[in-house]
Amino acid sequence: TTNNATIVTGHQTPNPKQKIIQGNYHLIKGLSASTNSNASQSPLHIYYSINSSTMAPRKVKKVMTLPINVIFGHLQKKTRVKIWLYEDTRMAIEGQIIGFDEYMNFVLEGATEVDTKTGKITDVGRILLKGDAISVLQEA
């Protein structure tokens, strides 16, 4: 089979129906529409689709996730998190993150202490948890 190519200038994109029918598109940027320096320097975007049934499998690129992005995601989604403590492995804290800083200090709303051995839960309300006391953070 042959690869289909659509050349688009400026800020146009391929026809959405064409995108659905023909599959995955990749964009090559940084090319100019003309080599003449007096001509308009609008970018030239080349979209091309590849028939994945005829190509060899691609290796998936792994992307590093920064810890601050994970914490910020929990803050934005307002998810309840469980924090395992460094010194006291028997105790865990659950709550909603409403703030944090560069030292990984957390402000938790609706925090509860959970005894992992007995299952006893104690409400503690809004707390500031120091970053050096944190061992693990997970979604509750």
Side-chain angles (χ1 to χ4, degrees):
T1 61
T2 60
N3 293 337
N4 299 318
T6 304
I7 298 175
V8 183
T9 59
H11 299 288
Q12 302 168 346
T13 57
N15 181 352
K17 290 180 183 175
Q18 186 179 25
K19 192 177 217 179
I20 293 169
I21 294 168
Q22 294 182 352
N24 298 328
Y25 278 83
H26 303 277
L27 172 63
I28 301 173
K29 290 185 179 179
L31 302 174
S32 62
S34 172
T35 56
N36 185 351
S37 61
N38 296 332
S40 169
Q41 290 296 320
S42 66
L44 173 66
H45 297 232
I46 301 174
Y47 290 84
Y48 64 95
S49 66
I50 298 173
N51 185 348
S52 59
S53 64
T54 60
M55 295 209 41
R58 277 192 273 179
K59 193 173 188 180
V60 177
K61 183 178 180 183
K62 294 183 182 183
V63 179
M64 181 175 64
T65 303
L66 297 174
I68 194 166
N69 293 339
V70 173
I71 296 166
F72 192 66
H74 288 300
L75 176 72
Q76 285 182 316
K77 293 186 282 183
K78 299 181 179 179
T79 56
R80 192 160 174 85
V81 294
K82 184 178 215 175
I83 298 172
W84 298 86
L85 302 177
Y86 180 71
E87 292 290 329
D88 188 1
T89 57
R90 184 179 178 143
M91 189 69 62
I93 306 287
E94 289 187 15
Q96 178 186 345
I97 300 172
I98 60 172
F100 69 95
D101 64 9
E102 67 271 18
Y103 303 107
M104 214 169 83
N105 297 323
F106 289 103
V107 178
L108 298 175
E109 181 69 41
T112 57
E113 289 181 338
V114 180
D115 188 329
T116 57
K117 303 290 185 209
T118 65
K120 180 182 173 196
I121 298 173
T122 306
D123 287 331
V124 291
R126 182 182 285 189
I127 64 168
L128 171 91
L129 184 61
K130 293 282 291 171
D132 58 358
I134 297 171
S135 190
V136 176
L137 176 111
Q138 70 182 81
E139 192 169 335

